[in-house]
Amino acid sequence: MSNTADGSAQYSVAISEPSKASGMPEDAKELKHHRQDGKGFKNPWDSWQDFKFRWVIRLLWRRLNVGRPDTTPPTVPVQDPQFLPTRQTPQLRATWLGHACYLVEFPSGLRVLFDPVFTQRCSPFSWLGPSRYTKMPCQIADIPIIDAVVISHNHYDHMSHPTLLKIRELHPNAPFFVPLGNRSWFTACGIHNVTELDWWEERDMRLSPVGPNSDASIRGDIAARIGCLPCQHTSSRNLADRNATLWASWSVESGGKKRTSSDTGYRAVPELPDNVDDYDEEHTYPHCPAFKQIGDLRGPFDLGLIPIGAYYPRWFMSSMHANPFDSVNIFLDTRCKRALGMHWGTWVLTDEPVLEPPKLLKVALSRKNISEEGIFDVCDIGQSREIVS
């Protein structure tokens, strides 16, 4: 394959199974996250609690009576992104484009886009559903280089049909990496360069210059390893396909730099009074063991992109969305050297105040005696951070 979307870059893309696989748990081949009937997937841990219909009714009642969080400006600052015009960068560099979308620029020259959603609403409809309370920092056309797109799962705030079609138009040969079961949706949309992976599977990707005008020719071939990893979440695009496709966290390693990301929960917390801290010593709820496995077997990571928002009410959201105290534990379990927060600041999906996540993140870090500035941080939408090793 070749990519000529930016009018100058010309290179081929090859994707293959690695000659030597990275570490994985001894029981990974048992596929405990696959449903026994072969019709979908599940979270195989005690840290997960399945949703109950009465919870949904209670949540709807709560929202009718309590209302939604205040999104009156100013909220999260939005900057115009400053993407690098070439493939040259001395450090790993990440630009937050809202919610769970980051463009990560690797020192090898690789450019990877994660969970892009460039629409006003995260919804199957253009006229109904959660609408942005912070503006889009840019358009897909403003991103000069996209070598690969990584999708965590098929929820509308992570997998956007209009956005992915635009990427296909502008970067027609950029490969898409998706969790198991999602390929058919992409091919139905006319996107065929899709690599579908199960947890703990990985692929090697190599970009090779084929023309004299390619920036990639400055560095020669660009190699990367992309791994699909576990997380605790769900999937659905409609009322009839719940958990029919897999959800995943991902790792990308290129040029000696490695990063990981996920949209995930960490523990299942029952309903408690509002003034009770579920991390008090008396509350020993089980947590998801997958992140410790990821850290032990695939870590350490130079950068983690870790969710910090969409967590309240806790009794409803804790299984599938981490709060900042969970987020810091995920950071430690996965052995990340640095982390940036995501999954906040864009749409009102839950009931916590929209500016609360970074405030609680500071509290959570202090409880773990993590005081060094920038170890686990947040940034403005559109802002880039260089990860200095």
Side-chain angles (χ1 to χ4, degrees):
M1 295 185 291
S2 65
N3 188 327
T4 58
D6 65 359
S8 60
Q10 298 177 353
Y11 53 86
S12 63
V13 181
I15 298 172
S16 62
E17 293 189 14
S19 57
K20 184 178 179 180
S22 303
M24 65 176 62
E26 293 182 359
D27 63 351
K29 293 183 179 180
E30 297 178 18
L31 303 180
K32 295 178 181 179
H33 58 294
H34 289 228
R35 286 180 52 180
Q36 291 184 351
D37 60 7
K39 298 180 180 179
F41 305 91
K42 62 182 181 179
N43 293 286
W45 310 291
D46 292 339
S47 53
W48 172 262
Q49 186 171 9
D50 278 321
F51 294 100
K52 298 175 175 59
F53 181 71
R54 68 175 184 272
W55 292 3
V56 178
I57 299 301
R58 285 187 60 199
L59 187 67
L60 293 174
W61 178 257
R62 172 189 171 86
R63 288 182 175 173
L64 286 171
N65 287 273
V66 176
R68 306 290 278 170
D70 182 14
T71 58
T72 304
T75 54
V76 184
V78 180
Q79 302 182 9
D80 292 331
Q82 301 297 314
F83 304 113
L84 297 175
T86 72
R87 294 183 181 274
Q88 293 180 305
T89 173
Q91 303 290 345
L92 186 66
R93 189 173 186 266
T95 304
W96 186 35
L97 300 176
H99 199 55
C101 180
Y102 270 88
L103 180 78
V104 179
E105 298 163 304
F106 289 80
S108 66
L110 183 72
R111 306 293 185 250
V112 182
L113 188 62
F114 296 86
D115 282 3
V117 179
F118 285 76
T119 53
Q120 182 62 27
R121 296 183 186 273
C122 59
S123 164
F125 310 105
S126 61
W127 51 273
L128 180 68
S131 182
R132 290 176 182 263
Y133 64 86
T134 49
K135 70 175 184 177
M136 281 185 284
C138 67
Q139 298 293 329
I140 288 293
D142 299 320
I143 304 175
I145 305 172
I146 300 175
D147 293 319
V149 180
V150 175
I151 302 295
S152 63
H153 64 295
N154 71 355
H155 284 159
Y156 285 93
D157 57 325
H158 295 260
M159 193 168 91
S160 163
H161 178 259
T163 301
L164 298 176
L165 290 184
K166 191 65 176 180
I167 294 172
R168 182 195 63 177
E169 174 190 339
L170 297 176
H171 302 269
N173 293 308
F176 293 77
F177 291 86
V178 302
L180 208 61
N182 285 287
R183 182 198 298 274
S184 60
W185 184 90
F186 277 79
T187 56
C189 297
I191 301 173
H192 298 281
N193 46 337
V194 179
T195 297
E196 186 182 76
L197 298 178
D198 201 352
W199 289 353
W200 298 105
E201 291 183 333
E202 54 191 354
R203 292 292 183 270
D204 285 341
M205 182 174 74
R206 183 170 294 274
L207 279 61
S208 302
V210 296
N213 297 323
S214 173
D215 288 332
S217 64
I218 297 172
R219 297 174 179 271
D221 288 0
I222 297 174
R225 178 165 291 190
I226 298 179
C228 180
L229 295 168
C231 68
Q232 182 170 290
H233 205 59
T234 63
S235 68
S236 65
R237 299 286 283 185
N238 56 61
L239 295 177
D241 70 344
R242 180 172 168 78
N243 295 346
T245 63
L246 188 59
W247 49 94
S249 59
W250 291 87
S251 67
V252 178
E253 182 176 8
S254 185
K257 298 296 181 181
K258 187 187 296 188
R259 44 79 52 216
T260 184
S261 71
S262 65
D263 177 16
T264 186
Y266 189 69
R267 320 156 73 212
V269 177
E271 185 169 10
L272 299 169
D274 287 342
N275 62 347
V276 172
D277 182 351
D278 60 72
Y279 269 104
D280 283 345
E281 291 183 1
E282 64 186 280
H283 300 299
T284 56
Y285 307 116
H287 65 271
C288 180
F291 298 104
K292 182 68 164 54
Q293 291 178 322
I294 290 169
D296 290 344
L297 297 169
R298 299 286 175 91
F301 296 92
D302 297 283
L303 173 65
L305 304 177
I306 299 176
I308 64 170
Y311 50 76
Y312 194 80
R314 189 84 160 130
W315 53 265
F316 187 85
M317 290 293 172
S318 62
S319 282
M320 70 173 184
H321 284 162
N323 75 1
F325 300 95
D326 299 327
S327 307
V328 172
N329 281 325
I330 292 170
F331 168 76
L332 295 171
D333 286 354
T334 52
R335 299 175 61 202
C336 291
K337 299 176 184 177
R338 298 284 191 275
L340 290 171
M342 66 170 193
H343 209 268
W344 74 288
T346 307
W347 293 286
V348 171
L349 302 177
T350 49
D351 293 350
E352 73 272 5
V354 297
L355 293 177
E356 182 180 86
K359 296 175 183 177
L360 287 189
L361 178 61
K362 290 183 178 180
V363 176
L365 288 167
S366 68
R367 286 189 183 182
K368 295 292 185 179
N369 297 315
I370 301 173
S371 58
E372 183 180 343
E373 185 175 352
I375 288 289
F376 189 164
D377 208 353
V378 297
C379 57
D380 295 345
I381 296 173
Q383 186 178 10
S384 300
R385 290 290 181 91
E386 286 195 351
I387 310 304
V388 180
S389 57

